[in-house]
C-alpha cells in the first residue's frame, strides 16, 4: 500500500476570542503535568505565545486516521525546531523539520512576526507562496485568505474561538483555527488546529478529499500531541530516507505532514494544489 502526500503540516510543526476573558493555560484538572502554558486573556496574547519556536524543541504526535472504509492504522509523527534566528522588526525566522514513519519531510520556514505566523517552503524564496496561520490577537470570527490556490479554489483561515483541548500530553484551553477549503466543483474540506499558549499546536484534524482512480474519497487524520521534549531535536536516530518535493507538494504549508497512510495503490493527491 503506497503512501502519498496530501497537501498541507502545514505540520507542517509546528511546533489564539474577544468574547472570552478567562485565563488561558492548563486546566486545574489536568491529568498529568506537561508543557507549562501561558496565562493571559485573548487581548494580551500575541502570535509567539501560540506558536513557540524553541531551538531543539520536539513535539510528538499520534495520528489517528479514518477513511470512508473505516479506521486505518495509527501512526507517529515528530516535529522539531532545527534553528531559529532573530530578524529585523521583532521577527524570528525558524526552520521546522518533520519525520513521519522514518521519512524526513521537506523542511518548513516559519516566520514568527509580531503580527502573525507565516509558513512557507524553506526551498522557496521569502516572497514565494506562503500561508498565514495566525494573525494578531485571537478574535472570534476573524478571517483572512489562506494559501494561493489554482483558479476556482479558495482557502479562508477562520478563528473559531477558545475551546478545551484534551490530548495524551495534557488538558488545556486553546484557540481553534479552521482552514476552510472550497473547490471549483462545489465540494470542500475543513482543517482544524488547536493552539495552546506556551505549547503550540496541541491538536489538528485534517479532513481532506483524495482521488482513488476515478473516485473521490474522504480521509480524516486526527493528530494528538503526546509529548514535548526540550532539546529533543534532532532525534538520536537518523531518518531512513528523505521525501522528495513530489511527495509533499504543499505539505510544507500545513501543520500536519499529511501523508496518507491507507490510500490504495493509484491514489492521487488532493484536489487543491498551490499554483507553481
Amino acid at each position: 500500500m503506497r503512501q502519498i502526500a496530501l497537501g498541507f503540516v502545514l505540520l507542517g510543526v509546528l511546533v489564539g476570542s474577544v468574547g472570552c476573558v478567562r485565563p488561558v493555560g492548563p486546566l486545574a484538572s489536568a491529568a498529568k503535568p506537561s508543557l507549562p502554558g501561558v496565562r493571559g486573556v485573548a487581548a494580551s496574547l500575541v502570535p509567539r505565545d501560540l506558536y513557540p519556536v524553541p531551538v531543539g524543541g520536539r513535539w510528538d504526535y499520534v495520528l489517528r486516521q479514518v477513511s470512508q472504509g473505516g479506521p486505518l492504522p495509527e501512526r507517529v509523527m515528530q516535529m522539531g525546531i532545527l534553528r531559529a534566528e532573530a530578524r529585523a522588526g521583532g521577527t524570528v525566522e525558524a526552520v521546522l523539520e518533520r519525520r513521519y514513519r522514518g521519512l524526513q519531510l521537506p523542511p518548513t520556514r516559519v516566520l514568527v512576526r509580531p503580527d502573525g505566523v507565516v509558513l512557507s517552503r524553506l526551498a522557496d524564496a521569502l516572497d514565494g507562496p506562503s500561508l498565514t496561520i495566525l494573525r494578531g490577537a485571537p478574535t472570534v470570527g476573524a478571517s483572512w485568505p489562506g494559501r494561493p490556490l489554482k483558479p476556482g479554489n479558495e482557502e479562508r483561515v477562520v478563528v473559531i474561538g477558545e475551546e478545551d483541548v484534551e490530548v495524551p500530553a495534557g488538558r488545556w484551553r486553546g484557540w481553534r483555527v479552521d482552514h476552510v477549503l472550497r473547490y471549483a466543483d462545489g465540494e470542500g474540506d475543513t482543517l482544524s488546529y488547536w493552539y495552546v499558549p506556551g505549547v503550540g499546536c496541541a491538536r489538528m484534524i485534517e479532513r481532506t478529499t483524495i482521488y482513488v482512480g476515478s473516485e473521490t474519497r474522504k480521509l480524516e487524520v486526527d493528530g494528538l500531541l503526546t509529548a514535548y521534549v526540550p532539546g529533543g531535536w534532532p532525534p538520536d536516530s537518523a531518518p531512513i530516507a528523505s521525501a522528495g518535493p513530489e511527495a509533499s507538494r504543499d505539505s510544507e504549508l500545513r501543520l500536519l505532514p499529511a501523508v496518507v497512510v491507507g490510500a490504495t495503490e493509484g491514489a492521487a493527491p488532493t484536489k487543491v494544489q498551490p499554483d507553481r
Side-chain angles (χ1 to χ4, degrees):
M1 193 168 289
R2 184 172 60 125
Q3 282 74 45
I4 60 172
L6 278 183
F8 275 178
V9 153
L10 188 204
L11 141 63
V13 165
L14 262 172
V15 153
S17 58
V18 167
C20 300
V21 295
R22 65 169 145 177
V24 178
L27 299 177
S29 59
K32 67 181 80 171
S34 50
L35 303 180
V38 173
R39 300 186 71 82
V41 297
S44 69
L45 291 175
V46 294
R48 67 173 178 269
D49 295 328
L50 299 172
Y51 205 98
V53 287
V55 175
R58 189 185 87 209
W59 292 259
D60 294 345
Y61 296 86
V62 60
L63 307 184
R64 298 173 179 170
Q65 307 170 102
V66 179
S67 72
Q68 288 174 259
L72 301 172
E74 290 187 356
R75 304 298 185 189
V76 174
M77 173 185 79
Q78 294 178 312
M79 297 190 284
I81 302 299
L82 180 65
R83 61 178 182 269
E85 300 177 2
R87 301 300 187 201
T91 294
V92 174
E93 180 177 345
V95 174
L96 170 72
E97 293 186 326
R98 292 164 291 143
R99 290 189 187 180
Y100 174 83
R101 302 189 71 191
L103 285 176
Q104 183 85 39
L105 302 178
T108 299
R109 177 190 294 114
V110 182
L111 295 178
V112 182
R113 299 169 172 164
D115 62 346
V117 177
V118 180
L119 305 182
S120 62
R121 301 175 184 85
L122 184 62
D124 286 353
L126 274 172
D127 59 354
S130 65
L131 171 64
T132 299
I133 60 170
L134 294 169
R135 178 178 287 182
T139 304
V140 172
S143 69
W144 55 89
R147 299 165 298 157
L149 302 176
K150 293 180 179 179
N153 303 307
E154 179 186 23
E155 178 179 23
R156 295 289 300 180
V157 183
V158 182
V159 178
I160 303 301
E162 187 187 21
E163 298 181 352
D164 291 339
V165 184
E166 182 171 3
V167 296
R171 297 178 64 202
W172 300 278
R173 294 286 287 176
W175 296 94
R176 175 179 165 184
V177 178
D178 281 5
H179 295 238
V180 181
L181 293 143
R182 293 291 177 261
Y183 307 135
D185 62 4
E187 294 190 26
D189 290 317
T190 300
L191 307 104
S192 303
Y193 305 92
W194 286 261
Y195 299 96
V196 174
V199 174
C201 188
R203 186 178 185 182
M204 55 199 87
I205 299 178
E206 294 195 346
R207 303 171 184 88
T208 50
T209 304
I210 60 173
Y211 285 117
V212 180
S214 60
E215 300 179 4
T216 58
R217 296 184 183 178
K218 296 291 185 178
L219 178 77
E220 178 176 302
V221 182
D222 189 353
L224 307 172
L225 182 67
T226 59
Y228 171 74
V229 183
W233 197 267
D236 294 334
S237 60
I240 60 174
S242 296
E246 71 284 352
S248 59
R249 293 271 299 175
D250 67 332
S251 66
E252 301 95 315
L253 297 188
R254 297 194 178 189
L255 295 180
L256 188 59
V259 177
V260 181
V261 297
T264 58
E265 187 68 29
T270 48
K271 299 179 179 183
V272 177
Q273 300 289 355
D275 288 321
R276 293 312 232 170

